[in-house]
Amino acid sequence: MIRAALFSMLFGAVGAVAIQGMVWMAIPQPPRFGQVDLVAIMEGEVEGMARRKMGGEDIDAEGRARLIQDAVAAVAQESGRVLIARQALVAGAVADVPDMTERVRERLRK
């Protein structure tokens, strides 16, 4: 009886793994991560702030940092992805993770 119960549990576990594998293969899953190149975004932001400062305008660096954070958070929320911040130490894009840098830049232009 114990042997039959163990066999049933094993058969059920193998069946569950097989069914889950078929579901993963049949239903495409979107990637859960996205990447944002913060160095490229900050490059453009610093250039813009420097031009405005040279033009005599007061610059609120903390306010601008909040806007950048809000833009990254908004893109993450819209896309439903967890965004990975690429910085200077990471060379190149991470494979199979979509680059969302342009979407953040568009959000900052609004």
Side-chain angles (χ1 to χ4, degrees), residues 12-80:
V14 170
V17 169
I19 290 172
Q20 185 64 45
M22 288 188 308
V23 167
W24 281 339
M25 293 175 74
I27 301 171
Q29 302 288 325
R32 293 180 16 205
F33 295 101
Q35 59 185 330
V36 175
D37 188 357
L38 285 181
V39 173
I41 290 172
M42 290 306 298
E43 214 173 78
E45 293 299 313
V46 169
E47 285 176 11
M49 287 191 294
R51 270 189 251 116
R52 287 195 300 268
K53 182 72 174 178
M54 288 170 43
E57 188 177 327
D58 286 333
I59 303 299
D60 180 17
E62 289 179 14
R64 196 63 192 163
R66 279 191 299 274
L67 289 175
I68 294 169
Q69 289 175 342
D70 289 345
V72 170
V75 168
Q77 182 181 13
E78 290 170 1
S79 65

